[in-house]
Amino acid sequence: MEPNTEITAAVAPERARPLRRELRSWGRDLVIALSLAIVIIIFFYQPVKVEGTSMTPLITDQERIFINKFVYRFEPIERGDVIVFWYPLDRTKSFIKRVVGLPGDTVEIQDGHVSVNGNRLEEPYVPPEELDRGNLSATQVPMGEYFVMGDHRISSNDSRIFGPVPRQFIYGKAVFAYWPFDHFGSIPVIDKASR
């Protein structure tokens, strides 16, 4: 009887070792996956919740989106981009708007229609019923700054009110909506022809 006891005692640790090895492997993989997710979220993409209606119908109130925080290190900000920036009058708040005027551009608004450098801007993203019929005399955008506006013009606090946004306040580009599900997908880029 004693030899059987020794055999049973010798087999039990061998079964425990593969389980420990397996758990250790899973734990290592989980730590690596979480580390990569944290790095991606901190340096590349950040989930944000939109509050307000200034970008409807493209982005609605309480919608969840991802912003790319890294893209503008490699490519320039372009007219039509939907950007996220620190509100110039209170840097504890973030705003999301569309770039209308680039550094050096002259922006003018007549009866709600935007002209850039004397050419009327085609804006298919602004619903006609949301067009603000206001005016803005010709304003030159300073170098290193951007003129931004919301798509829902009649309820947008934008560069018409607080002026152009300095480049250093811009920290991301809206790229992907993930909630609610009926808005799931890439945030469309306006083709260069309409810029």
Side-chain angles (χ1 to χ4, degrees):
M1 289 263 179
E2 246 176 80
N4 287 342
T5 308
E6 288 176 13
I7 292 171
T8 306
V11 171
E14 286 180 21
R15 286 183 181 164
R17 266 190 230 133
L19 181 60
R20 268 191 236 134
R21 219 177 289 141
E22 186 85 16
L23 288 174
R24 196 174 305 136
S25 176
W26 285 352
R28 182 195 66 223
D29 292 347
L30 182 62
V31 168
I32 290 170
L34 287 174
S35 299
L36 283 172
I38 289 169
V39 167
I40 288 169
I41 288 172
I42 290 175
F43 296 106
F44 299 103
Y45 291 93
Q46 177 182 343
V48 296
K49 179 173 84 170
V50 175
E51 295 180 3
T53 59
S54 72
M55 287 303 294
T56 56
L58 178 67
I59 301 170
T60 59
D61 185 35
Q62 304 303 307
E63 188 166 335
R64 286 4 182 241
I65 64 170
F66 279 108
I67 60 169
N68 185 330
K69 299 190 313 185
F70 204 64
V71 66
Y72 292 134
R73 293 175 190 245
F74 297 106
E75 63 183 55
I77 297 170
E78 295 184 354
R79 185 175 297 109
D81 285 358
V82 177
I83 61 168
V84 180
F85 58 94
W86 299 112
Y87 179 43
L89 303 180
D90 180 358
R91 287 198 244 157
T92 64
K93 298 178 182 175
S94 292
F95 275 25
I96 183 167
K97 305 288 179 200
R98 188 180 299 277
V99 175
V100 174
L102 302 174
D105 283 348
T106 299
V107 177
E108 184 177 9
I109 303 173
Q110 293 179 341
D111 195 31
H113 299 288
V114 179
S115 293
V116 177
N117 301 324
N119 299 315
R120 186 166 165 177
L121 193 62
E122 294 298 321
E123 297 184 290
Y125 42 82
V126 178
E129 65 276 7
E130 307 303 342
L131 191 64
D132 179 358
R133 296 292 178 189
N135 296 312
L136 177 72
S137 58
T139 305
Q140 184 167 25
V141 182
M143 297 311 290
E145 298 187 8
Y146 296 82
F147 195 93
V148 299
M149 296 176 75
D151 292 355
H152 189 206
R153 299 283 162 82
I154 57 176
S155 72
S156 179
N157 179 11
D158 52 37
S159 288
R160 296 172 293 174
I161 297 164
F162 55 74
V165 177
R167 171 62 184 93
Q168 65 267 22
F169 289 8
I170 299 169
Y171 66 89
K173 178 180 182 179
V175 292
F176 193 86
Y178 65 94
W179 184 263
F181 287 127
D182 62 335
H183 281 203
F184 187 86
S186 301
I187 293 175
V189 176
I190 302 304
D191 65 18
K192 294 185 190 298
S194 63
R195 290 182 184 186

